[in-house]
Structures are given as structure tokens and as C-alpha cells.
Amino acid sequence: MEGRVTRALPLAAYVVALGVLVLLAALRGSLGELGLALAALPAVVLGSLVVLRRPESPVGPALVAVAALPTVVFAVETYGQTELDAHPMPAARTLMIVQEGIWVLLLGGVVMLFLTFPDGRLPGRLWSVLPWVFLAAALYMNLTVSLAPPNYAD
């Protein structure tokens, strides 16, 4: 069960981010928000095909994450920017603050792909710590940048 959830997580993140961007495009009357999400679609499809063909390999979910994480980052940034609109979306202020440091997640999919390509195995036991180190560093970076006083001062 856990393996299926892990494999499906990047695809689910992409679908949710795509949904948010479609909603924002409909509300704003602009299709510009969908450009990045649609440009990422081939990598999502390819990664999903790898997951279907080789479900035990982490390369498929990593390939989906290469496309999904930038789409998620763009969705958070676009949603946060609605804080500046006449009618901001709910929680737009929070995402406006978070968006300052979320860019570091752009590297997450690439880190996953580099660690698992080509055969899906890490070179050694010590390497299994690296994804957790990256996640901790990304969260620390986001908190540090997002909560810096000039970023949330009115």
C-alpha cells in the first residue's frame, strides 16, 4: 500500500496544481497560468508510463516529480499573487508569504531523478539519507526566506 501511495504522490500533486491553475485561469479570464502546467505534461505522461510498466522502479515517480514540482511551485505563486487582486482567493496572504521561498522545491524532482536513474537503486546506504537532507534543507530555506521581515512587512 505504501509503495502505491509513494508512486502516486507526484502525479496527485500535478493534478491538484493543474486544477488550481485551471481555476485561477477561469476566474481571471486568462489562459497564461496554464502554460507551464501544459508544458510539463509530456514528462508527467512519460513518468506515468514508466510507473505503469515498471511499478517497482522509483524512476517513474521521480520523472513525474520533475514536472509536478515546478507546476506546484507555479500554482502556489500564482495563487499567492491573487492577494494583490481586488478579490483575493482564500488564504492568498499565506501563500503570498510562502511563495517567497518555495522556489527551492524546483530542484526536488531533479534530485530524486539523479538519485534513482538509471536502475532505481541508490549507490549505497548512506545515499538514502540525501532525500531527507534535501527536504529538511528545502523547508529550512523556505521558512528562512518566507519569514524574513522585509517579505511580510506591509
Side-chain angles (χ1 to χ4, degrees):
M1 174 75 173
E2 183 179 319
R4 274 191 259 175
V5 172
T6 304
R7 287 190 302 270
L9 192 59
L11 182 59
Y14 177 78
V15 170
V16 168
L18 182 62
V20 168
L21 291 171
V22 167
L23 173 69
L24 291 172
L27 292 175
R28 290 179 154 186
S30 165
L31 296 178
E33 283 84 2
L34 298 177
L36 176 72
L38 295 178
L41 192 57
V44 170
V45 170
L46 183 61
S48 297
L49 289 173
V50 171
V51 168
L52 290 174
R53 182 84 170 133
R54 305 282 306 230
E56 74 284 354
S57 174
V59 174
L63 189 56
V64 175
V66 166
L69 288 174
T71 306
V72 168
V73 168
F74 186 63
V76 168
E77 289 174 346
T78 305
Y79 193 99
Q81 288 296 323
T82 65
E83 172 67 18
L84 305 175
D85 292 351
H87 303 289
M89 300 291 285
R93 175 78 173 150
T94 302
L95 291 182
M96 181 90 163
I97 292 170
V98 169
Q99 78 171 356
E100 294 292 330
I102 201 165
W103 61 266
V104 75
L105 291 181
L106 293 171
L107 303 172
V110 176
V111 168
M112 289 171 51
L113 189 60
F114 284 170
L115 287 174
T116 59
F117 190 81
D119 61 1
R121 291 183 302 220
L122 297 173
R125 292 185 69 185
L126 185 60
W127 286 85
S128 64
V129 176
L130 193 58
W132 295 107
V133 170
F134 174 80
L135 182 61
L139 290 174
Y140 176 75
M141 175 72 174
N142 193 319
L143 285 172
T144 302
V145 171
S146 297
L147 298 179
N151 291 334
Y152 62 85
D154 285 325

Coordinates of all heavy atoms in Angstrom, one line a residue, residues 24-74:
L24 N -7.8 29.3 -11.4 CA -7.3 30.7 -11.5 C -7.5 31.2 -12.9 O -7.8 32.4 -13.1 CB -5.9 30.7 -11.0 CG -5.7 30.5 -9.5 CD1 -4.2 30.4 -9.2 CD2 -6.4 31.6 -8.7
A25 N -7.2 30.4 -13.9 CA -7.4 30.9 -15.3 C -8.8 31.2 -15.6 O -9.1 32.2 -16.2 CB -6.9 29.8 -16.3
A26 N -9.7 30.4 -15.1 CA -11.1 30.7 -15.3 C -11.6 31.9 -14.6 O -12.3 32.7 -15.1 CB -12.0 29.5 -14.8
L27 N -11.1 32.1 -13.3 CA -11.5 33.3 -12.6 C -10.9 34.6 -13.1 O -11.6 35.6 -13.1 CB -11.2 33.1 -11.1 CG -11.9 32.0 -10.3 CD1 -11.4 31.9 -8.9 CD2 -13.4 32.4 -10.3
R28 N -9.7 34.5 -13.6 CA -9.0 35.7 -14.1 C -9.3 35.9 -15.6 O -8.9 37.0 -16.1 CB -7.5 35.5 -13.9 CG -7.1 35.6 -12.4 CD -5.6 35.5 -12.3 NE -5.2 36.2 -11.1 CZ -3.9 36.3 -10.8 NH1 -3.0 35.8 -11.6 NH2 -3.5 36.9 -9.7
G29 N -9.9 34.9 -16.3 CA -10.1 35.1 -17.7 C -8.9 35.1 -18.5 O -8.8 35.7 -19.6
S30 N -7.8 34.4 -18.1 CA -6.6 34.4 -18.8 C -6.1 32.9 -18.8 O -6.1 32.2 -17.8 CB -5.6 35.3 -18.1 OG -4.3 35.0 -18.5
L31 N -5.6 32.5 -19.9 CA -5.0 31.2 -20.1 C -3.5 31.1 -19.8 O -2.9 30.1 -19.9 CB -5.3 30.6 -21.4 CG -6.8 30.4 -21.8 CD1 -6.9 29.9 -23.2 CD2 -7.4 29.5 -20.8
G32 N -2.9 32.3 -19.5 CA -1.5 32.3 -19.3 C -1.0 31.5 -18.1 O 0.1 31.0 -18.1
E33 N -1.9 31.2 -17.1 CA -1.5 30.4 -16.0 C -1.3 28.9 -16.4 O -0.6 28.2 -15.7 CB -2.5 30.5 -14.9 CG -2.5 31.7 -14.1 CD -3.3 32.9 -14.7 OE1 -3.9 32.7 -15.8 OE2 -3.3 34.0 -14.1
L34 N -1.8 28.5 -17.5 CA -1.8 27.1 -17.8 C -0.5 26.7 -18.6 O -0.3 25.5 -18.8 CB -3.0 26.7 -18.6 CG -4.3 26.9 -17.9 CD1 -5.5 26.5 -18.8 CD2 -4.4 26.0 -16.7
G35 N 0.2 27.7 -19.1 CA 1.4 27.4 -20.0 C 2.4 26.4 -19.4 O 2.7 25.4 -20.0
L36 N 2.9 26.7 -18.2 CA 3.9 25.8 -17.6 C 3.3 24.4 -17.3 O 3.9 23.4 -17.6 CB 4.4 26.4 -16.3 CG 5.4 25.5 -15.5 CD1 6.7 25.5 -16.2 CD2 5.6 26.0 -14.1
A37 N 2.1 24.4 -16.8 CA 1.4 23.1 -16.5 C 1.3 22.2 -17.7 O 1.5 21.0 -17.7 CB 0.1 23.3 -15.8
L38 N 0.9 22.8 -18.8 CA 0.8 22.1 -20.1 C 2.1 21.7 -20.7 O 2.3 20.7 -21.3 CB -0.1 22.9 -21.1 CG -1.5 23.1 -20.6 CD1 -2.3 23.9 -21.7 CD2 -2.2 21.7 -20.4
A39 N 3.1 22.6 -20.5 CA 4.5 22.3 -21.0 C 5.1 21.1 -20.2 O 5.9 20.3 -20.7 CB 5.4 23.5 -20.8
A40 N 4.6 20.9 -19.0 CA 5.1 19.8 -18.1 C 4.4 18.5 -18.4 O 4.9 17.4 -18.0 CB 5.0 20.1 -16.7
L41 N 3.3 18.5 -19.1 CA 2.5 17.3 -19.4 C 3.3 16.2 -20.0 O 3.1 15.0 -19.6 CB 1.3 17.7 -20.2 CG 0.2 16.6 -20.3 CD1 -0.3 16.2 -19.0 CD2 -0.9 17.1 -21.2
P42 N 4.2 16.4 -21.0 CA 4.9 15.2 -21.6 C 5.7 14.4 -20.5 O 5.8 13.2 -20.5 CB 5.8 15.8 -22.6 CG 5.1 17.1 -23.1 CD 4.4 17.6 -21.8
A43 N 6.4 15.1 -19.6 CA 7.2 14.5 -18.6 C 6.3 13.7 -17.6 O 6.6 12.6 -17.2 CB 8.0 15.5 -17.8
V44 N 5.1 14.3 -17.3 CA 4.1 13.6 -16.5 C 3.7 12.3 -17.1 O 3.6 11.2 -16.5 CB 3.0 14.5 -16.1 CG1 1.9 13.7 -15.4 CG2 3.4 15.7 -15.3
V45 N 3.3 12.4 -18.4 CA 2.8 11.2 -19.2 C 4.0 10.2 -19.2 O 3.7 9.0 -19.0 CB 2.3 11.6 -20.6 CG1 2.1 10.4 -21.4 CG2 1.1 12.5 -20.4
L46 N 5.2 10.6 -19.6 CA 6.3 9.6 -19.7 C 6.6 9.0 -18.3 O 6.7 7.7 -18.2 CB 7.5 10.3 -20.2 CG 8.7 9.5 -20.4 CD1 8.5 8.4 -21.5 CD2 9.9 10.3 -20.9
G47 N 6.6 9.7 -17.3 CA 6.8 9.2 -15.9 C 5.7 8.2 -15.5 O 6.0 7.2 -14.9
S48 N 4.5 8.6 -15.9 CA 3.3 7.7 -15.6 C 3.4 6.4 -16.3 O 3.1 5.3 -15.8 CB 2.0 8.4 -15.9 OG 1.9 9.6 -15.1
L49 N 3.9 6.4 -17.6 CA 4.1 5.2 -18.3 C 5.2 4.3 -17.7 O 5.0 3.1 -17.7 CB 4.4 5.6 -19.8 CG 3.3 6.1 -20.6 CD1 3.8 6.6 -22.0 CD2 2.1 5.1 -20.8
V50 N 6.2 5.0 -17.2 CA 7.3 4.2 -16.6 C 6.7 3.5 -15.3 O 7.0 2.4 -15.0 CB 8.5 5.1 -16.2 CG1 9.5 4.3 -15.3 CG2 9.2 5.6 -17.5
V51 N 5.9 4.3 -14.6 CA 5.2 3.7 -13.3 C 4.4 2.5 -13.7 O 4.4 1.5 -13.0 CB 4.4 4.8 -12.6 CG1 3.6 4.1 -11.5 CG2 5.4 5.8 -12.0
L52 N 3.6 2.6 -14.8 CA 2.7 1.5 -15.2 C 3.6 0.3 -15.7 O 3.2 -0.8 -15.4 CB 1.8 2.0 -16.3 CG 0.7 2.9 -15.9 CD1 -0.1 3.4 -17.1 CD2 -0.2 2.3 -14.9
R53 N 4.6 0.6 -16.4 CA 5.4 -0.5 -16.9 C 6.4 -1.2 -15.9 O 6.6 -2.4 -15.9 CB 6.3 0.0 -18.1 CG 7.1 -0.9 -18.8 CD 6.3 -1.7 -19.9 NE 7.2 -2.4 -20.7 CZ 7.0 -3.7 -21.0 NH1 5.9 -4.3 -20.6 NH2 7.9 -4.3 -21.7
R54 N 7.0 -0.3 -15.1 CA 7.9 -0.8 -14.0 C 7.5 -0.2 -12.7 O 8.2 0.7 -12.2 CB 9.3 -0.3 -14.4 CG 9.9 -0.7 -15.7 CD 10.3 -2.2 -15.8 NE 11.2 -2.4 -14.7 CZ 12.4 -3.0 -14.8 NH1 12.8 -3.4 -16.0 NH2 13.2 -3.2 -13.8
P55 N 6.4 -0.7 -12.1 CA 5.9 -0.1 -10.8 C 6.9 -0.2 -9.6 O 6.8 0.7 -8.7 CB 4.7 -0.9 -10.5 CG 4.7 -2.1 -11.4 CD 5.6 -1.8 -12.5
E56 N 7.9 -1.1 -9.7 CA 8.8 -1.2 -8.6 C 9.9 -0.1 -8.7 O 10.7 0.1 -7.7 CB 9.4 -2.6 -8.5 CG 10.4 -2.9 -9.6 CD 9.8 -3.2 -11.0 OE1 8.6 -3.3 -11.1 OE2 10.6 -3.3 -12.0
S57 N 10.1 0.5 -9.8 CA 11.2 1.4 -10.0 C 10.8 2.8 -9.6 O 9.7 3.3 -9.9 CB 11.6 1.5 -11.5 OG 12.5 2.5 -11.7
P58 N 11.7 3.5 -8.8 CA 11.4 4.9 -8.4 C 11.7 5.9 -9.5 O 11.4 7.1 -9.3 CB 12.3 5.1 -7.2 CG 13.4 4.1 -7.4 CD 12.8 2.9 -8.1
V59 N 12.2 5.5 -10.6 CA 12.5 6.4 -11.7 C 11.2 7.1 -12.2 O 11.2 8.2 -12.5 CB 13.3 5.7 -12.8 CG1 13.5 6.6 -14.0 CG2 14.7 5.2 -12.3
G60 N 10.1 6.3 -12.4 CA 8.9 6.8 -12.9 C 8.3 8.0 -12.0 O 8.1 9.1 -12.5
P61 N 8.1 7.7 -10.7 CA 7.7 8.8 -9.9 C 8.7 10.0 -9.8 O 8.2 11.2 -9.8 CB 7.6 8.2 -8.5 CG 7.4 6.7 -8.7 CD 8.2 6.5 -10.0
A62 N 10.0 9.7 -9.9 CA 10.9 10.8 -10.0 C 10.8 11.7 -11.2 O 10.8 12.9 -11.2 CB 12.4 10.3 -9.9
L63 N 10.5 11.0 -12.3 CA 10.3 11.7 -13.6 C 9.0 12.6 -13.5 O 9.0 13.7 -14.0 CB 10.2 10.8 -14.8 CG 10.2 11.4 -16.2 CD1 11.4 12.3 -16.4 CD2 10.2 10.3 -17.2
V64 N 8.0 12.0 -12.9 CA 6.7 12.8 -12.7 C 7.0 14.0 -11.8 O 6.5 15.1 -12.1 CB 5.6 11.9 -12.2 CG1 4.4 12.8 -11.9 CG2 5.2 10.8 -13.1
A65 N 7.8 13.8 -10.8 CA 8.1 14.9 -9.8 C 8.9 16.0 -10.5 O 8.8 17.1 -10.2 CB 8.9 14.3 -8.6
V66 N 9.7 15.6 -11.5 CA 10.5 16.7 -12.3 C 9.5 17.7 -12.9 O 9.8 18.9 -12.9 CB 11.4 16.0 -13.4 CG1 11.9 17.1 -14.3 CG2 12.5 15.3 -12.7
A67 N 8.3 17.2 -13.3 CA 7.3 18.1 -13.9 C 6.3 18.6 -12.9 O 5.9 19.7 -12.9 CB 6.6 17.4 -15.0
A68 N 6.0 17.8 -11.9 CA 5.0 18.1 -10.9 C 5.4 19.2 -10.0 O 4.7 20.2 -9.7 CB 4.6 16.9 -10.1
L69 N 6.7 19.2 -9.5 CA 7.1 20.2 -8.5 C 7.1 21.6 -9.1 O 6.7 22.5 -8.4 CB 8.4 19.8 -7.9 CG 8.3 18.6 -6.9 CD1 9.6 18.1 -6.4 CD2 7.4 18.9 -5.7
P70 N 7.7 21.8 -10.3 CA 7.6 23.2 -10.8 C 6.1 23.6 -11.0 O 5.8 24.8 -10.8 CB 8.3 23.1 -12.2 CG 9.3 22.0 -12.0 CD 8.6 21.0 -11.1
T71 N 5.2 22.7 -11.4 CA 3.8 23.1 -11.5 C 3.2 23.5 -10.2 O 2.5 24.4 -10.1 CB 3.1 21.9 -12.2 OG1 3.7 21.5 -13.4 CG2 1.6 22.3 -12.5
V72 N 3.6 22.7 -9.1 CA 3.1 23.1 -7.8 C 3.6 24.4 -7.4 O 2.9 25.3 -6.8 CB 3.5 22.0 -6.8 CG1 3.2 22.4 -5.4 CG2 2.7 20.7 -7.1
V73 N 4.9 24.7 -7.6 CA 5.5 25.9 -7.2 C 4.8 27.1 -8.0 O 4.4 28.1 -7.4 CB 7.0 25.9 -7.5 CG1 7.6 27.3 -7.5 CG2 7.7 25.0 -6.6
F74 N 4.6 26.9 -9.3 CA 3.9 27.9 -10.1 C 2.5 28.1 -9.6 O 2.0 29.3 -9.5 CB 3.9 27.5 -11.5 CG 3.4 28.6 -12.4 CD1 4.0 29.8 -12.5 CD2 2.2 28.4 -13.2 CE1 3.5 30.8 -13.4 CE2 1.7 29.4 -14.0 CZ 2.4 30.6 -14.1

